[in-house]
Amino acid sequence: MRLLVTGGAGFIGSAVCRRMLGDPNISLICLDKMTYAAIPEAVAEFTAGGRAVVEKVDVADRAEVARVFRAHRPDAVMHLAAETHVDRSIDGPGAFVQTNIVGTYTMLETAREYWRGLDASARAVFRFHHISTDEVYGSLGPTGKFAEGTRYDPVSPYSASKAAADHLASAWHRTYGLPVVISNCSNNYGPYQFPEKLIPLTILNALEGLPLPVYGKGENVRDWLYVEDHAAALETVLRRGRIGEKYNVGGGAERRNIEVVRAICDLVDELAPGPRPRRELIAFVPDRPGHDLRYAIDAGKIQSELGWTPSVSFEQGLRRTVQWYLDHADWWRGIRARLYRGERLGLSPTDAA
C-alpha cells in the first residue's frame, strides 16, 4: 500500500507514520508544511529505512498537492494536517481557517480528481480518512458522552474550523461519492507533543521549577487518549472502517485538569526530585475565552464494530510520558530556547490589556 499521510511530521501524524511502517507492505508519503510544531527528529526516524519520503508541502497549495498525488500515486490518504492549539486559534484564527478549512477542501478536491482517474480496481480500494477532534461537539454537562450523532456545537476558532472540515469531508462523500471515513478523537498526549499543550507544558515547567498555570479552577474535564493507542485506532479505521461512517475514538480516561496537573507533579517529584514539592508551583490563572467545560467520548462503535480498545491506562501513559520528556531533554530544551518558552497564549483583549 502506498499511503499518503498529511501532517505526518506532527505529534499524532508522526505516531501514525511510525506505526504504519511496522507493516513491511506499506510505503509512506509524508506531506507536511513543517511549521513550528513539526518534529524533524520524528521524521528522521521513519525516513531512515528508505520506505518513506517527505514532501514539504502546504495542504492548501492545490498545485503542489496535485503534484504529490501524480508523483506518488497513493492507494489511501490519512488527512491529519491541521493547526491544533485552541489558544493560538484565539490569537490568530486566520491560519486555522486557511489550513483546516481551505487545506481540507484542497485535499478533498485533489483526491476526488485523482480517484476519478483511477482504474476500477484501484478506485475500489482507495479511501480518504479524515481525522478530527471531539471539540467539534462543543461542551458537555456533568453527565453524558459524545456519540457519532451528537450535534456539532463548536466554540473556539479551532473547533469551528475542524467542524467545517468534517462537514466538507462528509459532503464530498455524499455528493461526489469519494470514499471517505471520518474519526473524531479525544485529547491526545504522549511523546513528542509540542510543549504548548497542558501535559507537556506542565511537565517541563515542573522540571524547571516554573509556575504551573491552571485555567480557572481547573475543573474542566477531558477524556485523555495515549497517542500510540490513537495511532492504532486510526490504522483500524483506515483498514476496516466502513466508507461513509464516522468513529469516535476515546481513551475512557476522564480527568479534571487539576487532577492531571497534580498527577504530573507527583510523578516529577518521584522521577526527578527537586527542592520542594511541585504541587506548590500550581498557579490558577484567568480562564481562556470560551473554554469548554467537559468532553467525554462514547467509543462503543469503534469497539463493537472494529474491535479497537485502548491498551494504555491514563496512569501508565502519563508515567511513560513524563519519563520520555526526562529522557529527551535535548529535544525540548531546543524548542524552549528557539520556538516557545511557555508564555501564555489565547488571552482575551481584556486580559491582555
Side-chain angles (χ1 to χ4, degrees):
M1 177 196 292
R2 295 181 302 276
L3 176 62
L4 172 60
V5 179
T6 73
F11 168 50
I12 300 174
S14 63
V16 168
C17 290
R18 288 192 298 273
R19 180 176 182 87
M20 299 306 292
L21 285 173
D23 182 343
N25 297 312
I26 285 181
S27 60
L28 190 70
I29 308 101
C30 167
L31 188 156
D32 202 291
K33 189 179 178 181
M34 303 300 288
T35 67
Y36 76 95
I39 310 163
E41 298 85 352
V43 173
E45 282 185 37
F46 58 75
T47 55
R51 288 171 44 222
V53 296
V54 177
E55 291 277 7
K56 186 178 178 182
V57 169
D58 183 345
V59 289
D61 186 333
R62 180 73 174 271
E64 278 294 281
V65 171
R67 178 190 63 77
V68 170
F69 272 84
R70 289 193 305 269
H72 298 287
R73 309 293 295 172
D75 301 305
V77 176
M78 298 178 80
H79 178 45
L80 294 104
E83 296 287 343
T84 66
H85 190 39
V86 174
D87 288 1
R88 287 184 188 269
S89 81
I90 295 169
D91 291 340
F96 289 72
V97 171
Q98 182 67 14
T99 297
N100 299 356
I101 302 177
V102 177
T104 298
Y105 159 75
T106 301
M107 286 298 304
L108 288 165
E109 267 295 87
T110 308
R112 179 170 74 94
E113 291 182 1
Y114 168 77
W115 171 71
R116 289 179 61 187
L118 295 174
D119 62 36
S121 60
R123 281 170 59 96
V125 299
F126 182 84
R127 60 178 50 199
F128 187 106
H129 180 185
H130 173 68
I131 290 92
S132 189
T133 173
D134 60 356
E135 297 195 33
V136 299
Y137 299 122
S139 184
L140 289 165
T143 61
K145 294 184 178 182
F146 297 134
E148 285 78 5
T150 299
R151 182 178 68 89
Y152 277 33
D153 186 24
V155 172
S156 69
Y158 163 63
S159 59
S161 70
K162 289 298 290 183
D166 289 10
H167 290 316
L168 289 173
S170 178
W172 257 243
H173 168 67
R174 297 172 68 182
T175 300
Y176 302 114
L178 184 68
V180 170
V181 61
I182 299 172
S183 59
N184 296 75
C185 69
S186 59
N187 280 48
N188 280 226
Y189 69 101
Y192 282 123
Q193 189 169 31
F194 192 84
E196 62 191 357
K197 302 293 179 72
L198 174 65
I199 286 179
L201 178 63
T202 301
I203 293 171
L204 302 193
N205 279 16
L207 288 172
E208 295 186 337
L210 299 173
L212 309 179
V214 177
Y215 291 169
K217 297 180 180 179
E219 296 297 315
N220 302 78
V221 175
R222 299 295 181 262
D223 179 0
W224 292 97
L225 174 64
Y226 193 58
V227 68
E228 293 178 8
D229 273 339
H230 187 203
L234 295 181
E235 179 183 12
T236 301
V237 172
L238 177 73
R239 294 185 185 276
R240 304 207 304 274
R242 289 185 290 136
I243 296 299
E245 294 292 324
K246 69 182 302 191
Y247 297 89
N248 281 351
V249 185
E254 288 184 61
R255 299 289 189 282
R256 293 181 300 145
N257 285 351
I258 187 61
E259 294 176 297
V260 174
V261 171
R262 288 170 179 161
I264 292 170
C265 289
D266 296 343
L267 281 169
V268 174
D269 285 347
E270 174 191 341
L271 299 172
R276 60 173 175 148
R278 268 52 174 229
R279 289 193 183 206
E280 294 181 7
L281 299 171
I282 294 173
F284 294 98
V285 299
D287 209 349
R288 74 176 176 217
H291 196 180
D292 292 330
L293 177 62
R294 175 174 170 260
Y295 303 149
I297 283 278
D298 178 355
K301 182 175 179 178
I302 190 173
Q303 292 172 4
S304 62
E305 287 193 11
L306 306 183
W308 174 87
T309 56
S311 65
V312 179
S313 72
F314 181 70
E315 290 71 26
Q316 292 169 329
L318 193 62
R319 178 175 289 273
R320 292 182 192 179
T321 302
V322 171
Q323 188 63 60
W324 188 91
Y325 282 93
L326 284 170
D327 294 340
H328 294 79
D330 287 347
W331 178 73
W332 59 259
R333 283 179 179 145
I335 290 174
R336 299 273 269 199
R338 300 188 313 271
L339 297 173
Y340 178 64
R341 181 61 190 148
E343 62 272 15
R344 175 75 190 266
L345 302 170
L347 289 166
S348 68
T350 302
D351 291 331

